[in-house]
Amino acid sequence: MDGLKFLYKSAGGRLLLKALCAPALSKACGRFLDSPLSHFLIKPFVQKNKIDLSEYQTDGIKTFNQFFRRKIKDGARPFDMRPEALCAPCDGLLSAWKISEDGGTVIPAKQSRYTIERLLQDKELASKCYGGLCLVFRLCVDNYHRYAYADGGKKSANVFIPGRLHTVRPIALESLPVFVENAREYTTIESPVFGKLVQMEVGAMLVGRIVNFEQEAAVARGDEKGFFEYGGSTIILLVQKGAASVRSDIAQNSAAGIETPVKMGERIGSRAV
C-alpha cells in the first residue's frame, strides 16, 4: 500500500492524516523551506520531477521555496489575447464541469460532489454561478506555480476561507470534498467579455501559503496574480451560465474522467455566441 492510499483508505492512515493536514504543520514546513538549509532539496527535486530548467529564471535562488516559486522566462507563457478566447490562468491538469441549475452542485467523474455555495461560503455569489462552468486546474509539483488573471476587468478584494490542507491528488478527491474543506482564497473579476468570473486558489498538503499580490484593482488578462509555495495545488475558475464554452477535447476528456494538460495563457474555450 503506497503512502497516500494508506492515509486515505485505512483507519490508521486517517488518524495520521489529521496531523498532516493541519495548517500548523504546513507553517512549520514552510519555515524550513524558507531557510537556506533547504537548498540541498532542490537538485533531487529537479531530477525526480524531470523539470526543464532552461525555461526558468534561476539566478540568486538560495532556498527551496524561492526555487518552487521561480519565475518563467519572458515570452515562455504567451496569452491568447483575442477577446473571445477563454485562457488558462496557470499550468496544470484541467477538468471542466457543468454546475447544476437548481443548487449549484458539481458532480465530477470519480470525485466527491460539492456545491458552489459551500465552496464560496457566499449564497448570493454562488447563485450567480448556477448553470455555468466550474473549471478545475490541478497543479502538480513539476508545474509552474505562478498564476495569472484569466481575463481583465475590475477585480474585487480577496476573500480568504480557512480550512485544512488535504492533498489534491485523485485518491483524496475520490474520498472527500477536498475543495470545500481546504484553505482557499478567491476574487471576482468583472470581465467585459465573460461577465463575472470567480478565480479561486486552493491550498494543499504542505502548502500553507497562497500569495496574491493585489486587493481591489483594475487588472489585465495575463497579469501575474500570485503564486503558491511548496506542493501541488489547484485553481478553480467559475464562469457564469451562457458566458463561455470549453474546447471539445476538454469537454470530452472531462466527461470520461480524464484531465487535460494545459499551459498558462492557452485558449481553453471561447465566449458563447
Side-chain angles (χ1 to χ4, degrees):
M1 180 181 292
D2 65 35
L4 286 177
K5 188 174 181 181
F6 168 72
L7 289 173
Y8 284 92
K9 298 295 185 180
S10 71
R14 284 190 289 270
L15 288 174
L16 178 58
L17 188 63
K18 290 182 180 180
L20 291 176
C21 293
L25 178 61
S26 179
K27 289 178 181 178
C29 290
R31 285 194 294 270
F32 170 70
L33 296 176
D34 277 338
S35 76
L37 294 173
S38 65
H39 189 273
F40 78 95
L41 297 172
I42 295 173
K43 185 175 180 179
F45 181 83
V46 170
Q47 293 173 339
K48 179 180 179 181
N49 294 290
K50 298 179 174 63
I51 296 171
D52 180 3
L53 294 181
S54 67
E55 284 193 315
Y56 298 101
Q57 302 172 22
T58 57
D59 292 343
I61 287 177
K62 298 179 180 178
T63 73
F64 184 85
N65 262 340
Q66 287 177 348
F67 173 78
F68 195 75
R69 62 176 183 258
R70 65 198 178 276
K71 287 194 171 188
I72 206 157
K73 290 180 178 177
D74 291 344
R77 291 292 185 275
F79 263 72
D80 189 327
M81 299 306 289
R82 291 174 293 178
E84 69 275 13
L86 180 64
C87 296
C90 61
D91 290 8
L93 300 172
L94 172 59
S95 298
W97 309 110
K98 179 74 179 293
I99 302 168
S100 70
E101 299 274 359
D102 54 355
T105 305
V106 178
I107 310 177
K110 301 180 182 179
Q111 293 182 20
S112 299
R113 68 182 63 189
Y114 52 93
T115 67
I116 298 304
E117 184 176 342
R118 284 188 68 197
L119 183 70
L120 297 175
Q121 296 190 6
D122 183 322
K123 186 174 183 178
E124 181 179 355
L125 179 58
S127 67
K128 294 177 181 178
C129 301
Y130 293 177
L133 293 172
C134 178
L135 307 179
V136 179
F137 302 82
R138 185 170 67 86
L139 286 71
C140 301
V141 291
D142 58 322
N143 285 134
Y144 184 43
H145 270 71
R146 289 177 179 259
Y147 46 84
Y149 292 102
D151 200 23
K154 184 179 178 182
K155 173 194 177 297
S156 72
N158 301 318
V159 178
F160 179 72
I161 301 172
R164 299 187 70 78
L165 293 167
H166 290 284
T167 178
V168 294
R169 293 188 184 183
I171 191 168
L173 299 177
E174 291 170 12
S175 305
L176 297 164
V178 167
F179 300 137
V180 298
E181 291 193 4
N182 278 19
R184 54 203 184 274
E185 185 164 297
Y186 72 85
T187 190
T188 63
I189 303 167
E190 296 289 348
S191 162
V193 179
F194 301 105
K196 188 185 289 291
L197 297 172
V198 179
Q199 188 166 332
M200 171 181 282
E201 297 80 40
V202 184
M205 189 176 288
L206 300 183
V207 181
R209 280 174 285 188
I210 299 166
V211 180
N212 284 313
F213 300 143
E214 299 163 306
Q215 288 290 332
E216 296 179 74
V219 299
R221 177 186 300 193
D223 283 354
E224 191 170 86
K225 185 175 188 290
F227 58 81
F228 292 110
E229 294 196 330
Y230 176 66
S233 202
T234 299
I235 289 178
I236 296 175
L237 189 65
L238 304 178
V239 184
Q240 289 182 299
K241 180 181 178 180
S245 59
V246 295
R247 287 187 345 224
S248 59
D249 62 313
I250 294 170
Q252 291 167 5
N253 285 344
S254 297
I258 300 169
E259 298 169 302
T260 303
V262 297
K263 297 288 189 183
M264 177 194 289
E266 177 181 343
R267 184 187 71 82
I268 56 171
S270 301
R271 178 177 56 197
V273 294

